Amino acid sequence: MIHALSEGRSALGNEDRFGYAAGAAWVLDGATDISRAQLEGRTAAWWLVEAYQAELQNRCPFGVSEIARTFLASLSSGVRDRLEARFPAAPAPVRKALEQASAALSLVRKTTDGWSVLCLADCPVLYRNPANGRVQAIVDPGFVRFEQRSLDALQDARARAPDADYDRLLEMIRPVLEQNRQVMNLEEGYAVGGIRPPHQALVSERDLPAGVTAFAIMSDGFSRWYDLFRLGTAEDLFVRIEKSDLGEVLTELRQAERRDPLGKLFPRFKQHDDATCLYVQAADL
């Protein structure tokens, strides 16, 4: 069984993508755009995830046997080529926007011994550990401190401007967001999907335990259900996903977002985020 849901909330288009092929499944989530540039009515992040989606569809399953560093380097190179072909001789603001754009990516791929998980940024992967029956989450630990830096800046801005809308808050914390973007994929920074590959020191894979039969990959806009709004635990969410309750989960999530429209109780960078979840039974890949 494979089922999925993806709902965009921006007038500029859904910046989430999901996909699967023999031996691989993934979710992409474009980062909040801070460039102010619009490329044919879309953000740079939208174009970036489009390019990543196309490259993943073309390279999986053919590239999944490569070591992670090699695969990501080849993937980002293909993405860069696609964007350069789509926007040849682009003016400086467009080039800068594309260089600054990034996307979270979680890829689950088959290995000779089972399944491995490659996480860049904040798309969590949930699975049930056959050893103890517990649902566990895999996230990128290297991204956490940068995300926390941004959230701390956001909460400070909210304290200074309690009734500011999200556009105003993002403007207030722009220097912090730009500092984070300047170190993405550098050794001292964090790994993320971009037009340059992550430094090899940032790349790591985790093997799923032997006997895992299914997993769920989601964007942080969907994982808000349990890790931000606390509408249930990760265990509760995984059970709902197994039962194909994705639509009901999304309805509950959107209701929770509307109850806190300015993010005063549950700090976040936008009231509503694109939300995507892909559930896969491993035997079907």
Side-chain angles (χ1 to χ4, degrees):
M1 179 193 302
I2 299 175
H3 55 258
L5 173 150
S6 187
E7 183 193 73
R9 302 297 293 188
S10 170
L12 298 179
N14 188 350
E15 295 173 352
D16 285 0
R17 301 289 185 277
F18 70 87
Y20 55 90
W26 63 88
V27 164
L28 288 155
D29 178 8
T32 299
D33 186 78
I34 61 173
S35 70
R36 301 188 183 94
Q38 284 193 26
L39 288 66
E40 299 180 7
R42 305 288 190 179
T43 66
W46 189 93
W47 289 104
L48 182 75
V49 295
E50 276 285 281
Y52 262 94
Q53 178 74 352
E55 283 296 303
L56 284 164
Q57 289 285 181
N58 283 345
R59 293 171 184 270
C60 294
F62 308 110
V64 295
S65 61
E66 296 176 304
I67 63 172
R69 292 192 298 272
T70 302
F71 179 72
L72 288 175
S74 177
L75 184 64
S76 63
S77 177
V79 167
R80 183 179 62 251
D81 289 346
R82 284 179 181 274
L83 291 174
E84 288 178 351
R86 185 63 184 77
F87 299 101
V94 171
R95 292 199 306 272
K96 181 179 180 181
L98 292 171
E99 289 169 359
Q100 198 177 55
S102 63
L105 164 65
S106 280
L107 170 70
V108 181
R109 58 184 191 158
K110 191 170 181 57
T111 67
T112 55
D113 299 321
W115 296 88
S116 71
V117 178
L118 181 62
C119 280
L120 306 182
D122 56 357
C123 286
V125 176
L126 301 184
Y127 68 94
R128 189 177 300 281
N129 191 328
N132 55 26
R134 296 176 182 169
V135 170
Q136 295 180 274
I138 295 178
V139 295
D140 177 6
F143 182 69
V144 173
R145 67 187 177 96
F146 294 95
E147 182 178 40
Q148 191 59 53
R149 177 191 294 174
S150 298
L151 284 171
D152 289 344
L154 181 70
Q155 290 179 284
D156 178 67
R158 174 65 76 197
R160 289 183 283 120
D163 297 318
D165 62 17
Y166 288 100
D167 288 341
R168 174 60 180 147
L169 290 175
L170 285 175
E171 193 62 34
M172 292 172 71
I173 68 171
R174 177 179 294 276
V176 174
L177 298 178
E178 289 181 340
Q179 288 172 11
N180 283 351
R181 300 288 170 93
Q182 287 170 5
V183 296
M184 69 184 192
N185 289 341
L186 300 182
E187 185 174 9
E188 67 273 20
Y190 59 96
V192 72
I195 62 172
R196 66 183 177 195
H199 187 279
Q200 61 180 11
L202 301 176
V203 179
S204 63
E205 281 189 289
R206 288 179 56 179
D207 292 331
L208 290 177
V212 169
T213 59
F215 51 83
I217 317 172
M218 61 197 72
S219 65
D220 68 330
F222 194 88
S223 68
R224 282 180 172 191
W225 188 92
Y226 79 90
D227 61 17
L228 177 63
F229 291 105
R230 310 292 182 185
L231 298 173
T233 64
E235 169 83 34
D236 297 329
L237 179 57
F238 195 73
V239 170
R240 299 279 298 278
I241 294 170
E242 288 178 312
K243 294 179 179 178
S244 302
D245 285 347
L246 296 180
E248 292 181 15
V249 169
L250 181 62
T251 296
E252 295 165 10
L253 174 61
R254 297 308 188 203
Q255 290 172 344
E257 291 170 335
R258 287 192 290 270
R259 287 194 294 268
D260 180 37
L262 293 181
K264 294 183 178 181
L265 298 177
F266 300 98
R268 54 200 193 273
F269 299 105
K270 57 191 78 170
Q271 179 183 0
H272 300 292
D273 198 2
D274 302 335
T276 297
C277 181
L278 171 64
Y279 173 78
V280 176
Q281 289 186 340
D284 291 327
L285 283 182

